[in-house]
Amino acid sequence: MQLLQDLINVHAPSGSEYSMKEFLLDYIKKESKNWKVKPEIIADDFHDSIILIFGEPRTAIFAHMDSIGFTARYENQLVPIGSPHVENGIELSGTDSMGPIECKLKVEDDHRLFHDFPRAIDRGTTLVFKPHLKVSKSYIEGTYLDNRLGMYNALKVAESIEDGAIVFSCFEEHGGGSIPMLIQFLYNEYRIRQALISDITWVTDGVPHGEGVVISLRDKNIPRKVFIDKVLQLANESGIPFQMEVEGGGSSDGREVHHSPYPVDWCFIGAPESNVHSPRERVHLDDVQAMIEMYKYLVSRL
């Protein structure tokens, strides 16, 4: 899983996706000659987001590039980016004008966050969980499987897709913001009316590890049932293991598709993980494989 390790190693918290954009463009330009269809790459007009167009697209796959993290403030203080899990001793990494940074997180009794680096860190410097990935017989565990696995899935699907769009978006972990311009372009230029959200969901009392990719019937937002039923019919026909999720909270890039002024249906489909937003996110390998297979099946038939 070298590609996944490479994605995890890229420093790209919300607002700093430019490094991931550079990595992806380099990877796509090198690898796309081996793909079934070489895509049109659109990457100059959408800040750090990337759109890949294959053939005559009907459905777009969205995978956000950003991660949670922290911003250096003053007096060794840190401000969270998104909603990271915090506890004393978590290892952080980053770089400022004076060089590489490796330090540990300190959580005060009043919930204020600090770092223990022996010098002041430049204000505005972003820190992330120190990257690592552990692969066992059944599980992968590490940092930022949300959403490096969603990106990994999209890149594996890209190898064989004939008609479709793949979108690498920004800001998902910290309030969103890139989807409105992306969905406007996709609808106006290609009349795309369907979106699959390639992201990672949670292990819950109704969604365990190892029983397949999760098709979300709803989260904080409720997608259109006609489209969800269409996805479920195809998923049942596929024979690929899947689970169904019903939640009342949480959201994704699907939220912004949902609230856009364009008639685009959406469905969140992703592997479930435990230890969410921590340095020890954990996903079953069978669920990752089911996610890739399901996306390949759906995008060719929707």
Side-chain angles (χ1 to χ4, degrees):
M1 305 193 77
Q2 187 59 49
L3 172 57
L4 180 59
Q5 179 70 74
D6 292 342
L7 290 167
I8 287 171
N9 287 342
V10 179
H11 182 101
S14 299
S16 299
E17 293 93 343
Y18 57 90
S19 296
M20 185 63 79
K21 177 182 181 180
E22 292 172 2
F23 173 86
L24 285 174
L25 290 176
D26 183 62
Y27 176 87
I28 292 163
K29 288 170 183 176
K30 287 180 180 178
E31 297 296 325
S32 61
K33 62 180 180 290
N34 301 315
W35 296 352
K36 192 166 187 178
V37 172
K38 189 172 183 179
E40 177 187 0
I41 303 171
I42 305 170
D44 296 328
D45 300 323
F46 303 109
H47 288 171
D48 296 318
S49 298
I50 300 171
I51 296 176
L52 305 180
I53 299 296
F54 299 80
E56 299 180 2
R58 302 180 303 276
T59 303
I61 297 171
F62 286 84
H64 72 86
M65 299 190 288
D66 59 311
S67 72
I68 52 176
F70 306 87
T71 308
R73 196 171 180 243
Y74 354 104
E75 305 296 334
N76 295 343
Q77 297 175 57
L78 296 174
V79 180
I81 297 171
S83 55
H85 172 77
V86 296
E87 63 182 67
N88 283 309
I90 288 178
E91 294 183 295
L92 306 176
S93 65
T95 303
D96 70 359
S97 64
M98 296 181 68
I101 298 163
E102 290 196 3
C103 58
K104 292 183 178 179
L105 181 66
K106 296 170 62 180
V107 185
E108 297 293 316
D109 291 339
D110 59 3
H111 306 297
R112 289 188 301 162
L113 305 179
F114 295 84
H115 63 80
D116 68 354
F117 201 57
R119 65 167 173 83
I121 297 175
D122 291 348
R123 295 181 183 186
T125 298
T126 55
L127 302 177
V128 297
F129 298 142
K130 186 177 179 180
H132 76 93
L133 179 67
K134 177 182 177 181
V135 182
S136 66
K137 183 178 180 181
S138 299
Y139 289 92
I140 50 177
E141 180 178 300
T143 49
Y144 300 128
L145 300 183
D146 173 12
N147 188 38
R148 302 303 197 256
L149 270 177
M151 298 171 61
Y152 178 82
N153 172 64
L155 290 170
K156 299 306 288 183
V157 173
E159 296 172 0
S160 59
I161 188 173
E162 295 185 63
D163 298 300
I166 294 177
V167 183
F168 296 101
S169 63
C170 300
F171 296 118
E172 193 271 349
E173 295 288 8
H174 199 88
S178 67
I179 296 300
M181 63 180 177
L182 297 168
I183 204 72
Q184 178 186 45
F185 176 82
L186 290 168
Y187 183 80
N188 288 340
E189 296 296 321
Y190 298 97
R191 282 297 186 267
I192 287 177
R193 293 173 176 264
Q194 302 177 135
L196 302 178
I197 311 302
S198 179
D199 204 340
I200 301 303
T201 189
W202 312 323
V203 166
T204 64
D205 53 350
V207 176
H209 283 298
E211 294 193 10
V213 65
V214 175
I215 298 175
S216 183
L217 307 186
R218 64 156 291 171
D219 48 32
K220 184 177 181 180
N221 302 285
I222 301 177
R224 199 165 69 108
K225 192 174 188 301
V226 170
F227 183 64
I228 296 298
D229 287 347
K230 183 178 180 181
V231 170
L232 291 174
Q233 179 180 345
L234 289 170
N236 278 307
E237 292 171 0
S238 74
I240 300 164
F242 73 94
Q243 309 177 65
M244 292 181 288
E245 169 188 87
V246 175
E247 294 294 334
S251 62
S252 65
D253 277 343
R255 170 195 61 220
E256 291 191 79
V257 176
H258 185 83
H259 290 289
S260 78
Y262 301 96
V264 180
D265 284 311
W266 63 279
C267 180
F268 182 112
I269 304 176
E273 75 170 17
S274 51
N275 306 328
V276 175
H277 282 191
S278 81
R280 301 175 299 278
E281 294 180 338
R282 193 166 186 251
V283 179
H284 200 287
L285 284 166
D286 288 348
D287 297 335
V288 176
Q289 187 59 40
M291 182 176 179
I292 295 168
E293 292 175 5
M294 185 66 76
Y295 269 82
K296 288 182 178 181
Y297 189 88
L298 291 176
V299 78
S300 66
R301 291 165 173 81
L302 282 170

